Amino acid sequence: MDQQIVQVKIHPAIGIARVGNSDETPFIGPESPDQPPPPPDSHKDGSGKIIRQGARFRIYGYNKAGQVVRELKLGEEGVTEITWSVHLANKKAAWYQFHLPLDIPEAKNLPAAQLRRRNFDITGDKRKKLVIDPGRKTLRASHQETAAFGGKIMDKAVSLGSAATQADGRLVVAGGAGRSASFATPERPISGVANNDTWYDDVSDGPITAEVTINGATKTATPAWVVVAPPHYAPGVKTVRTLYDLLYDVFVTEKTLPTEQLISYPDHIEPILSRFCQLQWVNHGFATQFGWSGPHHFLDPALRKRLADPGKASEELRRQVYVQMRDYERDGTSTVPWPWLYGDAMSSGKATSIRQHITLSTEQDRMLALWAAGSFTSGPPRTGYPDVDQAPVAEQPGLLDRGALENCAADAFHPGCEVTWPMRHKTMYSEPFRILHRTQPERDYGDELTVAAALDKDGPLHEQGPGDLTRWMAAPWQCDAASCRSGYQVRSGLGPRYSPYLPTFWPAQVPNHVLKQADFATINTKPTGGDDSAREQAFENRAVWLRGLQGTDFNKQRRQMIDDWYKFGIVETREYTVGDGKFPRYLQVESPPAYPDAPDHANLINIQVPEAGAPQLAGDADAWTGEVPAGSVESMLVQQAVQEIKDATGRPEEEIAAGYLEKLDPLHGAQ
């Protein structure tokens, strides 16, 4: 192979860092799709604070044919300098409201008031002060330089994190401390999921660029991007349709990546099916159907043997699994098909949109169809390369790109966890997985970002600048995290067909129901009398992850989440050591939260109270004219609903959370 380097590229093309409030050194985020999660106690320090996840970037040299020659490391094979630059920003407060993705048909029904800027009453040049932009920072690897990203919003200091070069020349970017606040004094009350005016957070994103001096010549690297996201509270769990799956589909569709011609069960099919099983550790509904000993536990050796068999004997089994997957044209608004995950147009009550739930990506569906037809190869479970440095150098860049994105959600872009709906537009990229960097100032879209303007050829779905990916996300992120639950319903939807566990939003990132450490201790202790009933009961028990949120009022719970986001447990991998095969060898177990006395099922039932929307929305807009304060009317209506639910279900009040979530009523302004 030609060893002459003519081009250099940064990988991963999109790196993912995550906020944390611990002072400990950040850990490096996943760098391979096959990398196991870190051992227990890796994500929190001794005081219970969350350790930041750093995104690490490397540079690879390519020859004229586009083949990978090697990673370029400082001090090796002629590399005398690597100069990095990083530009992080947070533009949430200066951007537009989020109610629905603007690229789906339902968005055309959004009224003008829901297309307006956030913090609409701040006008003119003052709006520039809503952008947290510390500016571009340059770091020389030869000096092992570091940089801090200190910015301001409305003259209040905000840190977006830091960057540091390593001795080998690699770059590590770490994000903010997870702090969210209101720049108003007194602070403005929290009243929404995604659009709380005056509130800001310290997530961010921006371009990564570099120059490499090799054998006396300086080469400019093909650039990358970094996204600083909220914590991944279940780092050993991947969702059914990951961000990598979504983007891979984009590039296959536009023919910049080839389709997989030879489908492999371990490489292409089992990863999809196994993720249904992984969700058993973060949602009780998935645990019942896809978990250990469940009817669709695809990892059970006997069932796997049949699923991995391309022969006639398992043809109907494969077909039945495939036809369970949701198809909008066939299924309409049905809640029954898989996966049981909310979609881009989710609303409470009876579904009115086929996008009430998600589908698999087109490529995932195509591969499953081929598998169902028996057109695939079989083999043992994939092992891959858990350590990217042990992979052949030609595969390392692809593993780095995929490892970062496979641990991100592409479930409901409502708006989502790390990034949202613009990511599925090919105009956002210069090449597969690589964000197109802005070369000129972005135009002003006016007081309202209409659907037409958003999708226009000179709209925001093309070149990107610092802060442009995360600006669409919830402000602040904790309000969305506190609202990403399961089984949302209005009172009229309660009854024998109601499940408080399903459907759900994105439990792989923000869990719904978890296995407690105390229950794991019971499971992992061999009974002296041979009676396994206590262990079996402990294994079946799932506690509500957000059980530490107090009261029944959604608004108050979201405000608590802003302060207490780090106090909730991290779902970690623990080994079952009894050795009798009665339970999985590895279980995902919640680390102890800061609420040891919270009842297991607190906040299990989540109820939308539509009539509470009028006072909440009017009060938030300072348009309430009633004699009784809007907040009091809203609280009264919510408490009335809670009492009705108690009477109808017999559930205690501690298990009920209720209120009006504008997120579950995305077209409220059109009514």
Side-chain angles (χ1 to χ4, degrees):
M1 187 182 75
D2 177 14
Q3 296 293 310
Q4 184 177 1
I5 294 173
V6 300
Q7 185 181 20
V8 296
K9 293 185 177 185
I10 304 172
H11 291 277
I14 301 173
I16 306 296
R18 297 183 185 274
V19 299
N21 59 346
S22 171
D23 292 330
E24 288 194 9
T25 302
F27 66 91
I28 303 301
E31 295 188 298
S32 167
D34 307 302
Q35 182 175 325
D41 305 318
S42 297
H43 291 84
K44 286 195 174 186
D45 64 19
S47 67
K49 293 182 178 180
I50 290 181
I51 302 170
R52 293 181 295 167
Q53 174 179 305
R56 181 160 61 185
F57 295 89
R58 317 174 184 207
I59 297 178
Y60 285 82
Y62 290 74
N63 64 21
K64 189 176 181 180
Q67 298 169 307
V68 182
V69 177
R70 65 178 185 275
E71 181 184 353
L72 303 182
K73 295 183 179 181
L74 187 67
E76 295 183 8
E77 300 186 69
V79 178
T80 56
E81 184 63 279
I82 301 176
T83 303
W84 296 93
S85 69
V86 186
H87 192 166
L88 297 179
N90 177 310
K91 295 179 176 176
K92 287 185 180 183
W95 194 235
Y96 297 87
Q97 297 179 32
F98 180 91
H99 295 280
L100 281 174
L102 299 182
D103 61 349
I104 62 175
E106 292 81 359
K108 295 178 181 178
N109 297 319
L110 287 169
Q114 287 173 243
L115 300 171
R116 297 198 316 179
R117 302 182 195 268
R118 291 170 175 154
N119 297 293
F120 190 77
D121 57 338
I122 298 176
T123 59
D125 287 344
K126 287 185 178 180
R127 292 197 64 82
K128 296 178 182 177
K129 300 176 74 173
L130 294 170
V131 176
I132 307 169
D133 188 351
R136 181 172 175 261
K137 307 294 182 180
T138 300
L139 305 85
R140 294 171 296 172
S142 63
H143 290 63
Q144 285 192 245
E145 291 180 330
T146 62
F149 299 100
K152 291 184 178 181
I153 183 169
M154 302 302 287
D155 299 322
K156 292 183 178 290
V158 182
S159 172
L160 296 184
S162 60
T165 52
Q166 298 184 320
D168 57 8
R170 296 171 179 172
L171 174 77
V172 176
V173 179
R179 182 176 182 271
S180 298
S182 172
F183 57 71
T185 304
E187 71 176 35
R188 185 163 179 163
I190 289 294
S191 61
V193 175
N195 306 297
N196 291 286
D197 282 351
T198 78
W199 283 85
Y200 61 92
D201 58 33
D202 56 5
V203 305
S204 61
D205 68 278
I208 306 288
T209 59
E211 290 184 339
V212 182
T213 302
I214 178 170
N215 296 325
T218 299
K219 296 182 182 295
T220 300
T222 302
W225 207 268
V226 64
V227 172
V228 179
H232 188 175
Y233 287 103
V237 179
K238 296 179 183 179
T239 192
V240 175
R241 187 185 69 183
T242 70
L243 186 58
Y244 176 83
D245 296 322
L246 186 81
L247 298 193
Y248 177 74
D249 200 66
V250 169
F251 305 127
V252 166
T253 300
E254 68 162 326
K255 295 182 169 41
T256 52
L257 284 179
T259 58
E260 292 288 352
Q261 298 300 312
L262 186 61
I263 303 304
S264 156
Y265 184 80
D267 290 334
H268 303 120
I269 305 303
E270 191 163 32
I272 300 173
L273 300 182
S274 68
R275 291 178 199 154
F276 282 85
C277 303
Q278 288 183 41
L279 292 180
Q280 69 177 299
W281 307 117
V282 289
N283 179 275
H284 187 55
F286 276 85
T288 300
Q289 285 294 324
F290 303 101
W292 178 262
S293 297
H296 300 106
H297 186 230
F298 300 125
L299 301 179
D300 175 78
L303 181 56
R304 185 193 186 275
K305 181 179 179 180
R306 296 176 65 198
L307 295 169
D309 175 16
K312 199 74 175 176
S314 64
E315 179 179 32
E316 184 56 23
L317 172 63
R318 299 193 309 269
R319 177 167 34 228
Q320 288 191 19
V321 170
Y322 173 60
V323 300
Q324 290 289 335
M325 304 299 174
R326 181 173 288 106
D327 176 84
Y328 285 148
E329 186 174 345
R330 179 195 66 182
D331 301 319
T333 60
S334 173
T335 62
V336 176
W338 302 342
W340 297 319
L341 298 169
Y342 287 128
D344 289 354
M346 184 271 179
S347 62
S348 61
K350 188 174 181 179
T352 58
S353 167
I354 60 173
R355 279 164 285 277
Q356 177 80 359
H357 307 96
I358 74 161
T359 62
L360 298 180
S361 74
T362 302
E363 270 301 290
Q364 286 179 310
D365 186 82
R366 183 187 70 86
M367 291 190 290
L368 282 169
L370 289 171
W371 165 72
S375 181
F376 68 99
T377 62
S378 191
R382 172 187 171 91
T383 56
Y385 296 98
D387 181 353
V388 71
D389 286 305
Q390 300 304 311
V393 68
E395 296 186 35
Q396 290 178 15
L399 291 172
L400 290 166
D401 292 348
R402 183 172 179 175
L405 298 175
E406 266 202 6
N407 289 275
C408 298
D411 296 330
F413 280 149
H414 202 69
C417 289
E418 296 88 4
V419 287
T420 188
W421 65 272
M423 300 295 287
R424 60 187 171 210
H425 288 263
K426 66 180 182 180
T427 53
M428 297 275 290
Y429 304 92
S430 59
E431 62 180 61
F433 306 109
R434 209 170 287 278
I435 297 294
L436 179 63
H437 288 217
R438 186 175 302 287
T439 57
Q440 56 189 355
E442 186 174 26
R443 74 179 179 90
D444 189 333
Y445 303 111
D447 288 342
E448 300 165 6
L449 181 62
T450 65
V451 171
L455 304 181
D456 196 55
K457 62 182 180 180
D458 62 348
L461 304 184
H462 297 268
E463 293 181 337
Q464 301 295 297
D468 284 0
L469 300 189
T470 54
R471 62 186 175 179
W472 305 87
M473 307 305 290
W477 67 265
Q478 290 97 332
C479 291
D480 201 14
S483 307
C484 303
R485 308 187 191 182
S486 59
Y488 276 112
Q489 193 51 271
V490 295
R491 280 165 290 171
S492 61
L494 298 180
R497 287 183 169 83
Y498 169 71
S499 167
Y501 304 110
L502 295 166
T504 176
F505 271 105
W506 34 81
Q509 262 64 26
V510 183
N512 304 136
H513 323 103
V514 293
L515 184 65
K516 296 191 303 180
Q517 198 166 82
D519 286 327
F520 172 71
T522 299
I523 295 165
N524 204 34
T525 302
K526 188 173 184 177
T528 54
D531 182 4
D532 271 327
S533 58
R535 295 205 301 160
E536 291 167 353
Q537 183 175 346
F539 183 78
E540 292 299 325
N541 185 50
R542 295 292 189 272
V544 175
W545 183 70
L546 286 172
R547 63 192 181 276
L549 294 182
Q550 299 170 3
T552 59
D553 188 290
F554 282 146
N555 285 333
K556 294 178 181 178
Q557 290 187 349
R558 285 179 292 197
R559 180 61 189 86
Q560 181 189 343
M561 188 70 171
I562 290 173
D563 293 332
D564 291 1
W565 61 274
Y566 66 95
K567 295 182 180 180
F568 296 86
I570 302 292
V571 178
E572 303 172 321
T573 301
R574 294 189 177 272
E575 186 174 4
Y576 174 63
T577 58
V578 174
D580 56 8
K582 292 188 175 182
F583 299 99
R585 181 179 175 185
Y586 295 100
L587 299 87
Q588 301 283 338
V589 182
E590 175 199 45
S591 67
Y595 308 99
D597 299 323
D600 283 2
H601 291 162
N603 301 315
L604 173 63
I605 298 174
N606 297 291
I607 301 298
Q608 170 83 329
V609 185
E611 60 269 32
Q616 178 177 305
L617 294 168
D620 189 44
D622 296 324
W624 180 254
T625 57
E627 294 183 5
V628 179
S632 299
V633 174
E634 181 186 354
S635 295
M636 178 188 67
L637 292 169
V638 170
Q639 193 54 47
Q640 178 181 329
V642 170
Q643 186 60 50
E644 291 179 17
I645 296 159
K646 288 170 57 181
D647 294 341
T649 65
R651 299 272 194 170
E653 185 168 313
E654 67 190 21
E655 294 187 7
I656 301 166
Y660 175 76
L661 295 176
E662 88 288 355
K663 172 175 182 164
L664 308 186
D665 186 17
L667 298 175
H668 56 264
Q671 299 171 357

